Amino acid sequence: MKIRLGALVLVALLLSACAQTGQSQNAALTNLFVVTPQAPDMRYQLEIAKLNEIVARDMDLPEESQAELLYRRGSLYDALGLVTLARIDFNHALEYNPRLADAYNYLGIHYTQLEEFNYAYEMFDGVLELEPDHPYATLNRGVNAYYDNRIRLAIDDFTTFYEAQPDDPYRVIWLFLAEVEENPEAARLALAQRRVQYGNTDWGWSLVDLMLGAIDEQTFLKGFAVRDLKPDETLAERMCETYFYLGKLKQMEGDFQAASVYFRLAMSTNVFMFLEYRYANLELERSKQAIEAASAK
């Protein structure tokens, strides 16, 4: 569900760390588009209130119905960023119905965010055992493997996910992010080949062009970041993606100061349901570790 956001604000953002080192060439960071954070959806909150009434009143509901109610409330909590409450509901839902695949999927995502990777594998494996054709469990297991530094496992899952819909630019990008960890040159060549073979006019392919260097950072921010917004797409959603993938690009370039800025901006959008929001904090922590390691040398 979408909401209307406030106006786009153009701000000047100066990196003191870059000024200290004199090495960063992030001209784009001096003219960043920063959006109003996405506000909580009132409809979600009203639905939670109604579900609370039903759960409190109808104690004799069949167990499967109880599971569905708790799962639905948990998914609404998750959409509002209330992840602890969401986890409680997902776990309770599974007590009533242990075959609720989507609840395992959510829990797996939460465990990945907490870097509890082994628990996350268990959750995603459970999803695929119950529902082999689940649309996102393979992607999420691949993301878990990626952050667990089990890159070959990540590539396997991302490849499966990509092959199911090769014209989806986000599937292409995540496969590239894993492949570049093994062999950067081969990964970029494969990315270019997929761009030629499957690319189209969808906005996400401009992110692929950014990764390939066909669009530079400044040009992307000025001419592509907010292009072709769909009627059901908010500015915060678009910029959450933009900031996250710019952060990944700066990581690959070794500019962890700039990457940290972009990941903070991705987190500032409050687009809680987006994969890019969910993992921006993990990326921020890894960028900080890289900066600390470089300072210690």
Side-chain angles (χ1 to χ4, degrees):
M1 296 181 185
K2 309 299 180 183
I3 61 172
R4 187 166 65 184
L5 291 178
L8 184 69
V9 182
L10 183 63
V11 300
L13 184 62
L14 300 177
L15 290 179
S16 60
C18 293
Q20 291 171 3
T21 63
Q23 299 298 316
S24 179
Q25 298 178 355
N26 294 298
L29 287 174
T30 63
N31 290 290
L32 276 175
F33 288 114
V34 179
V35 295
T36 302
Q38 186 135 290
D41 195 313
M42 185 176 295
R43 289 168 294 184
Y44 291 175
Q45 299 176 69
L46 290 173
E47 187 175 348
I48 287 172
K50 291 178 182 177
L51 290 172
N52 287 342
E53 291 178 5
I54 295 171
V55 170
R57 184 180 66 242
D58 299 326
M59 300 299 292
D60 296 327
L61 283 171
E63 289 192 348
E64 286 195 5
S65 297
Q66 287 274 24
E68 289 294 337
L69 286 172
L70 289 168
Y71 167 76
R72 176 60 183 165
R73 190 174 66 178
S75 67
L76 291 168
Y77 281 141
D78 183 83
L80 293 170
L82 302 171
V83 292
T84 300
L85 292 176
R87 275 199 299 277
I88 292 170
D89 271 359
F90 293 141
N91 279 303
H92 284 168
L94 289 170
E95 290 175 4
Y96 287 112
N97 181 6
R99 299 188 61 80
L100 204 55
D102 284 333
Y104 289 113
N105 186 58
Y106 268 112
L107 287 170
I109 293 169
H110 290 180
Y111 282 130
T112 302
Q113 290 178 267
L114 294 169
E115 298 186 83
E116 297 284 353
F117 301 119
N118 288 335
Y119 288 122
Y121 288 125
E122 290 180 16
M123 296 298 106
F124 296 131
D125 288 345
V127 175
L128 292 168
E129 182 178 340
L130 291 168
E131 196 174 321
D133 295 326
H134 191 280
Y136 296 111
T138 302
L139 165 67
N140 292 329
R141 189 175 63 181
V143 172
N144 188 63
Y146 176 76
Y147 286 115
D148 191 27
N149 293 316
R150 300 177 70 177
I151 299 303
R152 177 40 52 184
L153 290 177
I155 290 173
D156 290 344
D157 275 346
F158 289 149
T159 299
T160 299
F161 189 64
Y162 154 76
E163 288 175 345
Q165 192 178 332
D167 62 346
D168 180 347
Y170 300 96
R171 298 174 191 240
V172 172
I173 289 171
W174 276 94
L175 178 55
F176 166 71
L177 292 177
E179 289 179 336
V180 80
E181 295 291 328
E182 276 199 341
N183 188 326
E185 289 186 9
R188 287 185 173 84
L189 177 60
L191 182 64
Q193 290 171 337
R194 292 167 189 142
R195 177 65 174 96
V196 171
Q197 187 172 4
Y198 297 110
N200 54 49
T201 58
D202 286 352
W203 178 81
W205 285 101
S206 64
L207 292 169
V208 175
D209 292 336
L210 179 70
M211 295 291 178
L212 287 169
I215 307 172
D216 64 44
E217 182 182 359
Q218 185 74 35
T219 301
F220 183 82
L221 282 168
K222 285 185 175 181
F224 291 86
V226 297
R227 176 180 290 182
D228 299 328
L229 274 173
K230 297 176 182 178
D232 63 345
E233 182 181 14
T234 68
L235 194 54
E237 291 170 347
R238 171 64 65 83
M239 295 310 295
C240 180
E241 294 175 340
T242 293
Y243 296 144
F244 182 87
Y245 293 111
L246 278 167
K248 293 301 294 179
L249 177 64
K250 302 314 289 184
Q251 279 184 340
M252 286 187 281
E253 293 175 353
D255 190 344
F256 296 101
Q257 296 281 5
S260 296
V261 172
Y262 281 128
F263 293 130
R264 287 191 184 96
L265 286 169
M267 293 168 63
S268 76
T269 62
N270 286 354
V271 185
F272 301 116
M273 294 179 68
F274 272 28
L275 176 153
E276 292 83 3
Y277 175 89
R278 292 182 187 277
Y279 298 117
N281 189 56
L282 274 182
E283 296 288 1
L284 176 60
E285 291 303 315
R286 294 184 178 207
S287 294
K288 287 180 179 178
Q289 292 170 11
I291 293 169
E292 292 170 359
S295 300
K297 291 181 180 179

